[in-house]
Amino acid sequence: MQRELRFYVDSANVDDVSTLLTDHLVHGVTTNPTILERSNRTVHDIPALYARWESEGAEEIFFQTWGSTTDEMLQNAEGIRALGERAVVKVPATRAGFAAASTLVAAGTRVLVTAVYSQGQALAAATLGVRYIAPYLGRLKDAGRDGIAEITAMQALVAGTGTDVLAASLRTPHDIVELAANGVPFFTAAPSVILAALQTDVSDASAAEFDAAVQRGLSDRQE
Ligand code: G3P
């Protein structure tokens, strides 16, 4: 079976997100309450952000539900689910979050369980039939853990179940490459990390040489 790989942009900075979406460089946009706050947005901005990113071509748009109980999470998830077909509801990997995820999946909602830090949580999410789990590579490493090995093991655990790893907290292109080489299919990262994955100085120098050759050829013809 052919393997699908995808980049998502993890940001609510509308200018940065727009350029990646309209250039068709990412599959969609992921957010969480911290990301919204960083761009001076609140949950009240969710409908407008969804409409904007949908119009800019995002295939999937992720917003995280909130609340301290399962009922609150389900209530707030309703507003996200109702945004449209491209909405994916993020739910934190907590006791209340797993219960909310279970109900949401049963109602046909696409769900991502986020901030997954253990194999047990990865397995539990897959038993519920969620579409994605988001382990945080950078934060696993910050905690002194072998994030690459742990996330690789999570993907192996859920592979073929309909649940896949959408890795987050990716701080360099190398983070993404290492995980992809180990079978992880989906990645979300800040705009700067996505852009860094596209760029090398030698490619830029080669492109400049190609362009110079074109220009020399054109000026020779004119003589
Ligand atoms: O989506 C996860 C992201 O918000 C966390 O990234 O780099 O702050 O650990 P980071």
Side-chain angles (χ1 to χ4, degrees):
M1 205 180 65
Q2 205 174 16
R3 184 169 170 226
E4 188 184 0
L5 296 166
R6 290 186 210 144
F7 283 171
Y8 295 81
V9 59
D10 203 23
S11 174
N13 177 317
V14 290
D15 294 332
D16 290 350
V17 170
S18 282
T19 138
L20 291 168
L21 284 176
T22 56
D23 284 345
H24 309 289
L25 293 172
V26 293
H27 188 81
V29 189
T30 59
T31 67
N32 61 38
T34 319
I35 286 173
L36 292 178
E37 185 181 37
R38 238 180 257 149
S39 291
N40 293 318
R41 308 270 172 181
T42 73
V43 292
H44 294 305
D45 295 309
I46 287 177
L49 290 170
Y50 180 88
R52 179 180 177 128
W53 293 334
E54 181 183 42
S55 74
E56 290 174 344
E59 298 284 341
E60 289 183 306
I61 303 168
F62 296 66
F63 293 108
Q64 192 162 322
T65 191
W66 64 98
S68 51
T69 64
T70 301
D71 282 349
E72 279 174 16
M73 285 189 202
L74 287 172
Q75 216 173 337
N76 293 319
E78 183 50 32
I80 299 171
R81 199 199 54 73
L83 291 167
E85 296 246 305
R86 299 178 191 198
V88 184
V89 177
K90 291 177 72 172
V91 176
T94 59
R95 172 69 182 81
F98 276 109
S102 180
T103 299
L104 288 166
V105 170
T109 307
R110 220 171 331 152
V111 172
L112 176 148
V113 173
T114 193
V116 167
Y117 283 95
S118 76
Q119 306 298 319
Q121 289 176 325
L123 182 64
T127 69
L128 302 181
V130 307
R131 178 65 191 95
Y132 304 107
I133 53 173
Y136 286 15
L137 178 66
R139 294 188 188 194
L140 280 164
K141 286 182 176 179
D142 291 345
R145 289 163 58 174
D146 185 344
I148 295 286
E150 291 199 37
I151 295 174
T152 299
M154 287 181 200
Q155 177 60 35
L157 197 56
V158 301
T161 65
T163 301
D164 279 300
V165 168
L166 197 170
S169 189
L170 304 168
R171 298 172 185 165
T172 67
H174 186 68
D175 286 342
I176 298 176
V177 170
E178 263 193 290
L179 288 173
N182 287 355
V184 173
F186 307 133
F187 306 93
T188 191
S192 59
V193 177
I194 301 287
L195 291 172
L198 311 182
Q199 193 269 338
T200 70
D201 291 344
V202 276
S203 301
D204 290 348
S206 299
E209 279 172 33
F210 298 143
D211 206 44
V214 171
Q215 297 311 324
R216 281 193 300 274
L218 291 176
S219 62
D220 286 352
R221 283 282 169 91
Q222 275 167 3
E223 281 162 11

